[in-house]
Amino acid sequence: MTQATISQTICVSGWTSTMRPSSSVTTALKVRQLSTGYSYNGDTSTADYEEDHLISLELGGAASAEANLWPEPYNVAEGARVKDQVENKLHAMICSGSISLAAAQTAIATDWWSAYQLYVTGTTGTAPAPVPVPVPGTGAPAVALALCKDGSYSFAAHHQGACSSHGGVAVFYR
C-alpha cells in the first residue's frame, strides 16, 4: 500500500471487505492469543473482544499478519469501539488528502489514544489513558513491548523495528 495507490485501494468504497481475513482465521487467532494469557483482567471470553488490526485495513494495514492482529476488549470505556472512531477519522483524512497514508499509519501504530484525542476529540492529554493492551500472564515483563518469535522480549520504544534481530514479532503487548 502506498500513497500513490490509495485511490484504487483504501479510498474505494467496499475495498476492505475484499481484504478482510475470514472470521474463522481471526477467531482461531483470538482463541489462541487469549488462551496464552493475552487477556484483559483475565477475561478469556472471545465475545468480549474484537480481533483488531493495529493498523486497520482502512489505513492500509496488513490483513492477515499476526503481528498486526490482537484481541482488543469491547467492554471498556477506551476499547475497540473508541479505536474504531479514530480509524474512521484517519481514513477520511487520508482520502480527502488532509493527511498522508504514512502519517496516519504512524499515528495509529505508535499511540492510537493520542491520535484519537488529537483527530477525534481535538484535545490532548485531557482524558484518561486507554486500557493498555494486556500483557500475557505467562511471565512477560510488564514493560515489554512485544514477544519475539524466538521467545525473547522487545523493549523498544515503538513497534517499528521491534524484534528485528529475533525473527520478528509474535505478539505486541502494547
Side-chain angles (χ1 to χ4, degrees):
M1 181 72 48
T2 67
Q3 188 70 39
T5 63
I6 62 172
S7 64
Q8 293 87 38
T9 54
I10 64 171
C11 295
V12 173
S13 180
W15 180 81
T16 60
S17 66
T18 68
M19 301 303 297
R20 191 165 309 284
S22 74
S23 62
S24 63
V25 170
T26 58
T27 300
L29 179 58
K30 183 180 359 178
V31 167
R32 191 171 78 237
Q33 289 168 330
L34 291 171
S35 72
T36 62
Y38 196 94
S39 62
Y40 181 68
N41 287 340
D43 177 9
T44 59
S45 171
T46 57
D48 293 340
Y49 295 87
E50 169 185 327
E51 188 68 12
D52 194 30
H53 291 89
L54 176 65
I55 300 174
S56 68
L57 298 180
E58 65 187 321
L59 302 181
S64 298
E66 287 188 23
N68 193 39
L69 288 160
W70 57 287
E72 185 176 23
Y74 282 122
N75 299 326
V76 294
E78 297 83 19
R81 291 180 178 90
V82 173
K83 185 171 178 277
D84 289 345
Q85 293 176 40
V86 69
E87 292 167 352
N88 294 337
K89 178 67 173 187
L90 288 171
H91 177 258
M93 292 174 70
I94 291 168
C95 294
S96 72
S98 60
I99 192 171
S100 72
L101 176 66
Q105 288 177 335
T106 299
I108 201 84
T110 56
D111 186 352
W112 75 262
W113 182 249
S114 291
Y116 170 80
Q117 292 176 309
L118 178 63
Y119 298 111
V120 177
T121 69
T123 62
T124 56
T126 58
V131 173
V133 176
V135 175
T138 58
V143 295
L145 172 72
L147 172 65
C148 302
K149 289 183 178 177
D150 69 357
S152 64
Y153 295 99
S154 173
F155 299 91
H158 303 286
H159 287 231
Q160 186 175 3
C163 301
S164 60
S165 299
H166 300 274
V169 173
V171 176
F172 279 111
Y173 299 137
R174 55 181 168 87

